[in-house]
Amino acid sequence: MSTTRTIERTYPSVRTTEGGGFIVHRPFPTRMLMDFDPFLLLDEMGPVDYAPGEAKGAPDHPHRGFETVTYCLEGQFGHKDSAGHSGTLMAGDVQWMTAGAGVVHSEMPDPEFTRTGGRVHGLQVWVNLPRRDKMIAPRYQEMPAAQIPIATSADGAVRVKVIAGEALGVSAAIETRTPILYQHFTLQPGASIAHPVPAGYRVFAYGLSGTGFYGAGKREIGAQQMIVFGNDGDTVTLSAGDEVLDVLLLGGVPLKEPVVRYGPFVMNTEDEIRQAVTDYQAGKMGLIAH
Ligand code: FE
């Protein structure tokens, strides 16, 4: 007999600006809210409509000790890095970047998009790396929309993009360093799913659009709220009301290791942070050729 997890807490996202001034909705971290182990941050970028010449991004900056996962929902996100990669994420594409020992990258709109302007909407999640993986070589997994597995329920009312983990019998193509779920559910009006989640995972949901109804009691929770499920069941229940529901499901096994953050570096000790700053300043994380 399966049981569905209760809702432990919900948190609204906070509207803030990041990088060169782009608008994000950030449910965590906040001063009050750090513990989403193994996740470090969730930013919903936009949705925002840029006038010609107004598009913003994040110029050259380093990362060490974790992974950044960028998912483009609308518009585009350009990127360039110190290892010589560059490209543009279009709607539906995902970039899973394992910064490991360090990269320097920029996340800027392409010049042509800046010229024309347009709508931008996306997600960035920071996934922490365990101590044993913090200094591994950087790795990129570029996943165009067409290569991301999609699962659909028998009646067609629930569709899920399986970016990480497994849903409706379909496994993700992306490899993660620790067990992670990253899934974009779309539920048609009136649809509901009790989605199995592995024991030992913390599971979170973030509504992207539409009002959702969560848990056994179908508690009504609007978009841009973070939902933290308890550890007390083997499924999570997501339900749509009378409109389409788009929701991001995140899950992972907590690392339970010390977390020391300093800007773009996330390590286990203060000494490792000092080393990261020294290495970055010495150019050991590379430079972007402009
Ligand atoms: Fe970055």
Side-chain angles (χ1 to χ4, degrees):
M1 170 87 190
S2 84
T3 55
T4 203
R5 294 188 179 199
T6 55
I7 296 167
E8 195 172 279
R9 293 196 69 168
T10 67
Y11 299 95
S13 56
V14 175
R15 189 177 187 277
T16 182
T17 59
E18 186 49 78
F22 62 81
I23 294 153
V24 302
H25 294 93
R26 177 175 296 163
F28 71 90
T30 65
R31 203 163 50 83
M32 299 298 294
L33 181 61
M34 295 296 283
D35 189 18
F36 278 78
D37 191 10
F39 303 100
L40 297 163
L41 170 144
L42 168 62
D43 273 350
E44 180 182 9
M45 302 179 282
V48 56
D49 293 299
Y50 286 118
E54 292 296 309
K56 304 284 197 299
D60 305 10
H61 59 278
H63 291 295
R64 171 180 281 181
F66 59 99
E67 301 181 292
T68 67
V69 181
T70 310
Y71 177 24
C72 179
L73 295 165
E74 287 179 271
Q76 56 113 292
F77 295 93
H79 62 92
K80 205 178 234 189
D81 75 57
S82 51
H85 301 99
S86 68
T88 304
L89 299 185
M90 304 304 291
D93 298 350
V94 171
Q95 180 197 59
W96 198 290
M97 182 183 89
T98 306
V103 296
V104 174
H105 76 164
S106 73
E107 298 159 275
M108 298 295 289
D110 291 346
E112 176 59 19
F113 184 85
T114 302
R115 195 182 65 74
T116 58
R119 170 163 283 227
V120 171
H121 190 199
L123 296 166
Q124 190 167 88
V125 173
W126 290 10
V127 181
N128 203 4
L129 286 168
R131 189 191 305 268
R132 64 172 186 274
D133 286 344
K134 283 195 179 287
M135 294 297 283
I136 60 175
R139 179 185 183 195
Y140 284 78
Q141 297 179 77
E142 301 280 356
M143 211 47 72
Q147 288 176 27
I148 299 173
I150 291 173
T152 307
S153 63
D155 65 0
V158 178
R159 178 180 180 273
V160 51
K161 277 184 78 157
V162 188
I163 295 165
E166 193 191 312
L168 294 169
V170 171
S171 294
I174 280 171
E175 295 166 4
T176 63
R177 302 297 305 187
T178 62
I180 299 288
L181 302 179
Y182 185 120
Q183 301 171 351
H184 177 177
F185 280 84
T186 304
L187 278 71
Q188 294 306 306
S192 186
I193 184 169
H195 178 53
V197 291
Y201 281 55
R202 290 290 281 162
V203 180
F204 313 99
Y206 181 76
L208 294 168
S209 67
T211 297
F213 296 82
Y214 298 89
K218 300 205 170 175
R219 179 166 152 201
E220 180 174 348
I221 300 170
Q224 296 177 327
Q225 305 270 322
M226 194 78 196
I227 298 145
V228 179
F229 290 100
N231 297 336
D232 51 354
D234 47 21
T235 66
V236 293
T237 299
L238 316 174
S239 308
D242 54 14
E243 56 188 337
V244 172
L245 174 69
D246 269 289
V247 57
L248 175 73
L249 195 74
L250 284 177
V253 177
L255 303 180
K256 296 182 175 154
E257 291 179 357
V259 174
V260 184
R261 298 174 177 238
Y262 180 74
F265 308 126
V266 183
M267 303 299 289
N268 298 113
T269 68
E270 298 283 353
D271 274 352
E272 290 165 352
I273 291 291
R274 279 190 281 276
Q275 189 63 50
V277 173
T278 302
D279 288 351
Y280 171 56
Q281 288 170 346
K284 289 185 184 169
M285 297 181 192
L287 283 171
I288 302 179
H290 284 285

